[in-house]
């Protein structure tokens, strides 16, 4: 999302003092005690089979055994949860999110999104990443991209790379600071993007590129080996030149398939703008309260939302047709066996954390993907893309105990996952009631002062020696 320094500064006079949020710490428990979740059915997202009547044994955040239900428990110290015939599957991984306050991670977790890939990182994200991983903060764990490396010269929270040397410096800085991946924007020149990719390979840091196509004067095969390519919308806007041309789409998909690089469609964000352009304020009024930071909400209402709220009926009709074609693109990507990743672009255009992940899955299913394919795109596919396929994305011995337990079989209906009966994160189990309480507490304790400081400092701290712009960005959804 585009953050104006002037806008944030003006907000200072309108916001009262908020205390910094307290750490959400786990209850005091014996760290060596095992958690048993009994009488559950395990959904294998690899095969699509359901393992009936099982018992999970979890210790220190890992699954250490999968037994028959009601296997006798011999541990003297343990925690027991009767799963009551619920269905267990791996936690969801959202591969495209934007968040600048810690409430977002609790909100996402409360809807079963146990891991997020943040796609415009700031240094506070790295601190939060460590706290979430070591359990001193409750919420979805996170993978953090660098600040966007782009060709803009006036975009706040971007590394501005006008030359190959700028790109090399940006990649080197991001690696040294500890970011997990590089996010490269689609308006870099071919010379600059090549330098970025060479340096990222040298530094052993993966790259995700905005737009599933090369920049001008660059070959498609130069995009091999990326962590992912973002936005089906950019296939429509780029190679297809805004035309619903099925022949050109087929040619593009054939070329994409040869790259063997995952694609994140992010249908949800186009659905969001379509609803705003069609229903205007009536749609905005349906969004859940508190899921987006009030500071970002205020910024969005004074910036990006205006275009869609004020758009004519013709624009709404155009958006509906375009969304349908983006779903067709997604279906054709699936039919071509191109790996797809669930990524919601939550946090942009008031798209609510957690719920947006489920809307992305719903839109992919509506596009024609089987439910199992959607579940894979939200679990094992992103785990592999992140290089975490031995830790995340499966319910198996040795894997992280990041799980969703739902009342009904998610292979029959994705909707059952939206409001989970339990979520297990790093071996700690949260009931539906506990998740709601945690979510509300995170919303109530949100610190706008902290978020304002983060957004202001993000431009200033990295601008020295990196070419990062601290100006006001332009365009619509320029950081998706």
């Amino acid at each position: 999302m585009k953050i104006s320094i002037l806008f944030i500064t003006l907000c200072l006079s309108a916001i009262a003092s908020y205390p910094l949020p307290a750490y959400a710490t786990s209850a005091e428990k014996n760290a060596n005690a095992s958690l048993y979740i009994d009488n559950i059915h395990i959904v294998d997202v690899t095969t699509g089979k359901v393992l009936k009547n099982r018992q999970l044994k979890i210790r220190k955040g890992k699954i250490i055994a999968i037994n028959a239900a009601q296997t006798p428990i011999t541990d003297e110290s343990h925690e027991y949860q009767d799963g009551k015939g619920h269905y267990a599957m791996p936690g969801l991984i959202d591969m495209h999110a934007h968040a600048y306050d810690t409430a977002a991670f609790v909100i996402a977790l409360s809807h079963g999104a146990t891991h997020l890939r943040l796609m415009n990182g700031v240094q506070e994200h790295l601190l939060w990443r460590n706290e979430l991983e070591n359990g001193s903060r409750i919420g979805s764990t996170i993978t953090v991209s660098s600040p966007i490396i782009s060709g803009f010269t006036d975009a706040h929270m971007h590394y501005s790379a006008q030359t190959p040397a700028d790109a090399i410096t940006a990649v080197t800085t991001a690696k040294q600071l500890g970011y997990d991946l590089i996010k490269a924007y689609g308006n870099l020149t071919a010379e600059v993007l090549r330098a970025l990719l060479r340096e990222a390979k040298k530094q052993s840091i993966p790259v995700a590129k905005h737009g599933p196509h090369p920049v001008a004067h660059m070959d498609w095969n130069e995009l091999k080996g990326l962590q992912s390519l973002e936005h089906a919308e950019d296939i429509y806007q780029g190679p297809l030149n805004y035309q619903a041309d099925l022949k050109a789409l087929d040619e593009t998909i054939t070329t994409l398939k040869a790259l063997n690089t995952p694609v994140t469609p992010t249908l949800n964000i186009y659905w969001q703008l379509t609803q705003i352009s069609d229903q205007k304020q009536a749609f905005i009024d349906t969004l859940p309260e508190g899921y987006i930071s009030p500071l970002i909400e205020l910024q969005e209402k004074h910036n990006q939302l205006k275009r869609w709220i004020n758009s004519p009926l013709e624009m709404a009709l155009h958006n509906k047709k375009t969304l349908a074609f983006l779903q067709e693109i997604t279906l054709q990507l699936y039919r071509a066996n191109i790996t797809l990743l669930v990524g919601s672009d939550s946090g942009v255009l008031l798209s609510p954390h957690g719920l947006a992940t489920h809307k992305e899955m719903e839109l992919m299913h509506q596009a024609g993907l089987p439910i199992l394919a959607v579940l894979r795109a939200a679990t094992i596919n992103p785990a592999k893309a992140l290089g975490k396929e031995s830790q995340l994305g499966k319910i198996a011995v040795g894997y992280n105990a990041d799980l969703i337990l739902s009342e009904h079989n998610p292979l029959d209906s994705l909707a059952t996952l939206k409001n989970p009966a339990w979520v297990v994160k790093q071996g700690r189990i949260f009931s539906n009631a506990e998740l709601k309480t945690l979510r509300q507490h995170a919303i109530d304790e949100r610190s706008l002062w902290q978020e304002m400081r983060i957004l202001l400092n993000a431009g200033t701290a990295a601008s020295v020696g990196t070419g990062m712009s601290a100006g006001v960005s332009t365009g619509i959804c320029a950081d998706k």
Side-chain angles (χ1 to χ4, degrees):
M1 61 211 54
K2 302 172 297 300
I3 307 298
S4 160
I5 290 181
L6 175 61
F7 176 84
I8 296 175
T9 303
L10 292 174
C11 285
L12 284 168
S13 61
I15 301 176
S17 177
Y18 286 80
L20 292 179
Y23 282 91
T25 56
S26 300
E28 291 294 329
K29 292 181 181 179
N30 182 352
N32 294 317
S34 298
L35 166 65
Y36 287 84
I37 306 177
D38 209 353
N39 301 312
I40 57 172
H41 310 308
I42 297 175
V43 178
D44 186 332
V45 293
T46 303
T47 65
K49 296 180 179 179
V50 176
L51 307 177
K52 295 272 191 171
N53 303 314
R54 293 296 194 270
Q55 177 194 83
L56 283 179
K57 182 179 180 180
I58 297 166
R59 183 183 293 160
K60 294 184 178 180
K62 298 285 187 180
I63 299 168
I64 64 170
I66 301 175
N67 303 317
Q70 301 182 37
T71 295
I73 297 171
T74 58
D75 301 50
E76 186 173 326
S77 178
H78 69 272
E79 180 183 358
Y80 179 85
Q81 178 65 58
D82 185 355
K84 302 177 180 179
H86 284 54
Y87 290 80
M89 66 162 280
L92 305 176
I93 302 173
D94 191 320
M95 290 289 279
H96 200 122
H98 297 270
Y100 300 97
D101 70 300
T102 55
F105 313 133
V106 180
I107 294 167
L109 183 70
S110 73
H111 291 288
T114 55
H115 193 87
L116 309 176
R117 186 177 65 166
L118 302 186
M119 292 303 284
N120 194 7
V122 298
Q123 291 188 48
E124 278 76 4
H125 286 147
L126 305 179
L127 171 65
W128 297 340
R129 178 191 63 193
N130 296 339
E131 292 169 351
L132 290 160
E133 286 177 354
N134 67 31
S136 62
R137 185 180 292 280
I138 292 174
S140 308
T141 46
I142 56 177
T143 294
V144 185
S145 88
S146 67
I148 296 169
I149 302 176
S150 78
F152 290 126
T153 59
D154 62 349
H156 184 59
M157 296 169 61
H158 284 219
Y159 285 150
S160 179
Q162 303 299 311
T163 68
D166 290 341
I168 292 169
T169 300
V171 171
T172 301
T173 301
K175 175 71 173 183
Q176 290 174 345
L177 290 174
Y179 290 102
D180 298 307
L181 70 144
I182 299 298
K183 181 174 178 182
Y185 206 60
N187 65 349
L188 295 168
T189 67
E191 183 183 26
V192 172
L193 183 54
R194 287 189 185 106
L196 181 152
L197 295 175
R198 285 195 301 269
E199 188 62 26
K201 184 176 181 180
K202 178 181 175 182
Q203 297 275 352
S204 298
I205 183 169
V207 177
K209 181 188 172 293
H210 183 291
H213 56 83
V215 301
H217 311 297
M218 192 175 193
D219 292 333
W220 281 88
N221 62 12
E222 295 181 77
L223 299 181
K224 284 185 177 180
L226 273 63
Q227 187 174 92
S228 65
L229 296 164
E230 306 300 295
H231 309 302
E233 177 185 349
D234 276 81
I235 295 176
Y236 171 66
Q237 295 176 353
L240 304 190
N241 195 26
Y242 295 89
Q243 300 297 314
D245 186 334
L246 293 177
K247 181 179 178 182
L249 174 61
D250 183 62
E251 293 171 353
T252 299
I253 287 177
T254 298
T255 307
L256 269 172
K257 182 173 174 56
L259 299 179
N260 195 29
T261 299
V263 175
T264 315
T266 65
L267 298 171
N268 165 73
I269 200 61
Y270 206 92
W271 176 86
Q272 185 88 354
L273 70 84
T274 299
Q275 300 309 302
I276 295 169
S277 65
D278 183 38
Q279 301 177 37
K280 316 295 185 185
Q281 187 63 42
F283 172 74
I284 294 173
D285 290 342
T286 67
L287 297 175
E289 186 175 352
Y291 275 54
I292 298 296
S293 154
L295 179 60
I296 296 299
E297 181 177 356
L298 191 60
Q299 161 70 5
E300 293 283 83
K301 286 181 177 179
H302 282 79
N303 189 1
Q304 299 196 63
L305 292 182
K306 282 187 176 181
R307 173 179 179 180
W308 307 113
I309 288 178
N310 297 327
S311 61
L313 175 62
E314 291 77 13
M315 178 60 76
L317 293 174
H318 168 78
N319 288 340
K320 288 179 180 179
K321 290 180 181 178
T322 301
L323 176 61
F325 188 63
L326 298 185
Q327 289 181 289
E328 178 64 23
I329 291 173
T330 303
L331 177 60
Q332 295 307 320
L333 290 169
Y334 164 72
R335 287 177 173 171
N337 293 317
I338 292 172
T339 300
L340 296 179
L341 310 173
V342 163
S344 66
D345 226 342
S346 64
V348 175
L349 284 174
L350 307 186
S351 186
H353 301 295
L355 293 176
T357 308
H358 293 279
K359 175 54 70 173
E360 180 72 15
M361 295 168 68
E362 177 187 333
L363 290 165
M364 293 173 79
H365 180 46
Q366 289 176 354
L369 275 69
I371 286 179
L372 181 58
V374 176
L375 293 179
R376 288 172 176 165
T379 54
I380 55 176
N381 291 0
K384 184 176 181 180
L386 293 172
K388 296 179 180 289
E389 62 267 39
S390 63
Q391 307 168 45
L392 304 176
K394 285 184 180 181
I395 296 180
V397 172
Y399 278 68
N400 291 1
D402 291 357
L403 319 170
I404 306 176
L405 280 80
S406 57
E407 184 176 356
H408 304 292
N409 186 351
L411 291 169
D412 295 331
S413 172
L414 292 170
T416 191
L417 298 173
K418 189 181 294 187
N419 194 31
W422 291 283
V423 170
V424 181
K425 180 60 188 172
Q426 295 169 313
R428 183 179 177 190
I429 189 165
F430 300 93
S431 68
N432 183 273
E434 288 172 325
L435 292 168
K436 289 178 180 177
T437 299
L438 284 170
R439 183 172 67 217
Q440 192 58 52
H441 179 75
I443 291 170
D444 293 341
E445 294 298 312
R446 184 183 267 134
S447 168
L448 300 189
W449 282 111
Q450 183 193 49
E451 185 178 3
M452 190 177 300
R453 175 183 58 78
I454 289 168
L455 294 172
L456 285 170
N457 288 347
T460 306
S463 61
V464 179
T466 64
M468 182 171 180
S469 170
V472 180
S473 65
T474 58
I476 298 298
C477 295
D479 71 340
K480 292 195 301 177

